[in-house]
Amino acid sequence: MNHLIAPSMLASDFGNLKSEINMVNNSDADWFHLDIMDGVFVPNISYGMPIVKTIKKYAQKPLDVHLMIKKPERYIEVFAQHGADILTVHFEACNHLHRTIDAIKMAGMQAGVAINPHTNPMVLSDILIDIDVVCVMSVNPGFGGQSFIQNTYKKIEFLKNLKKDSGSKYLIEVDGGVNLENYEKLINCGANILVAGSSVFNTKDPIQTIKKLKEF
Ligand code: DX5
Ligand code: ZN
């Protein structure tokens, strides 16, 4: 499959949110990536429902919602009502991950599971068959604009091979520090979805940058 690009709206200009959303609508991007942070699971608070609602109102592409919150099962219904298409929870934030994944699917969304840089992908082996998206964090979650952690390549390759061996169908997403220098290597390793925040929104021509990230 061709890889997907999901610009992270955390890096967008909230003062011009509607035009930032339209930029993504008019670009080659595939999804909107929305980062929800609670100040407990990660040391930062991002934004909540009013912004999600606004993005949904104008977005013409699926919303990929990344929950960096403790006990994310509390909010599954709310995010479904607000129009999330893919809902990703952190492995490290869930006591009953299987139940949470089931609940996300029951609510009509695709289920994603994110793993922190220190987490070995093997912890997901008994549940990979149930997951739609595995999100490999290539920075410590909590902030945009951080440097890419090199160990990520190995984890993506591992997940690509595990997919073949286990007959699972999950897509591999990479999130954090993705840019025009590393995106080709990430795709070669097996990444299917590239999340990109600052490397898109902090450039002079974001549409052109997205086009380049999409070219391979
Ligand atoms: C980090 C978030 C990322 C972040 C990506 O906690 O999950 O989605 O916004 O931003 P960049 O591309 O700037 O690293
Ligand atoms: Zn994210």
Side-chain angles (χ1 to χ4, degrees):
M1 70 170 269
N2 288 335
H3 66 282
L4 308 180
I5 305 295
S8 166
M9 300 308 287
L10 189 64
S12 71
D13 175 3
F14 288 172
N16 292 300
L17 188 53
K18 194 173 171 187
S19 70
E20 297 283 58
I21 297 165
N22 279 332
M23 182 282 288
V24 177
N25 283 335
N26 296 328
S27 75
D28 290 336
D30 300 276
W31 292 352
F32 286 79
H33 185 83
L34 275 57
D35 289 304
I36 311 296
M37 305 176 182
D38 67 353
V40 180
F41 180 67
V42 290
N44 194 15
I45 296 175
S46 56
Y47 53 80
M49 301 312 168
I51 296 283
V52 175
K53 213 169 153 183
T54 305
I55 296 175
K56 186 65 186 180
K57 186 170 170 194
Y58 299 111
Q60 291 160 8
K61 298 175 181 182
L63 299 195
D64 173 34
V65 179
H66 176 194
L67 299 184
M68 284 158 275
I69 66 176
K70 286 223 170 193
K71 298 189 182 167
E73 62 277 3
R74 294 171 294 164
Y75 292 101
I76 292 171
E77 277 305 324
V78 179
F79 280 100
Q81 283 158 15
H82 279 75
D85 296 280
I86 302 100
L87 192 66
T88 295
V89 296
H90 265 261
F91 164 80
E92 300 85 1
C94 296
N95 285 335
H96 301 284
L97 186 57
H98 187 276
R99 179 184 289 150
T100 302
I101 289 171
D102 258 5
I104 293 172
K105 291 183 178 170
M106 288 296 287
M109 300 173 285
Q110 288 187 54
V113 177
I115 50 171
N116 277 337
H118 71 270
T119 301
N120 188 315
M122 263 315 274
V123 297
L124 298 180
S125 61
D126 280 339
I127 205 166
L128 281 173
I129 197 86
D130 302 302
I131 301 177
D132 297 304
V133 174
V134 176
C135 176
V136 182
M137 291 308 300
S138 36
V139 297
N140 285 294
F143 303 92
Q146 302 182 82
S147 309
F148 181 85
I149 296 171
Q150 300 293 319
N151 189 51
T152 311
Y153 295 118
K154 189 175 95 190
K155 291 169 86 167
I156 293 172
E157 257 171 358
F158 179 82
L159 280 162
K160 181 179 77 177
N161 295 331
L162 204 57
K163 176 156 54 170
K164 247 192 305 182
D165 298 346
S166 65
S168 303
K169 293 201 167 63
Y170 55 86
L171 298 180
I172 304 170
E173 180 173 56
V174 56
D175 186 6
V178 175
N179 56 39
L180 287 172
E181 276 79 61
N182 58 21
Y183 83 103
E184 284 174 316
K185 186 167 175 188
L186 287 165
I187 295 163
N188 280 329
C189 287
N192 307 115
I193 307 154
L194 305 179
V195 176
S198 20
S199 69
V200 164
F201 288 99
N202 296 351
T203 49
K204 233 175 49 212
D205 189 346
I207 295 234
Q208 200 51 34
T209 306
I210 293 170
K211 191 165 187 260
K212 284 190 195 147
L213 286 169
K214 190 76 187 168
E215 275 167 11
F216 181 67

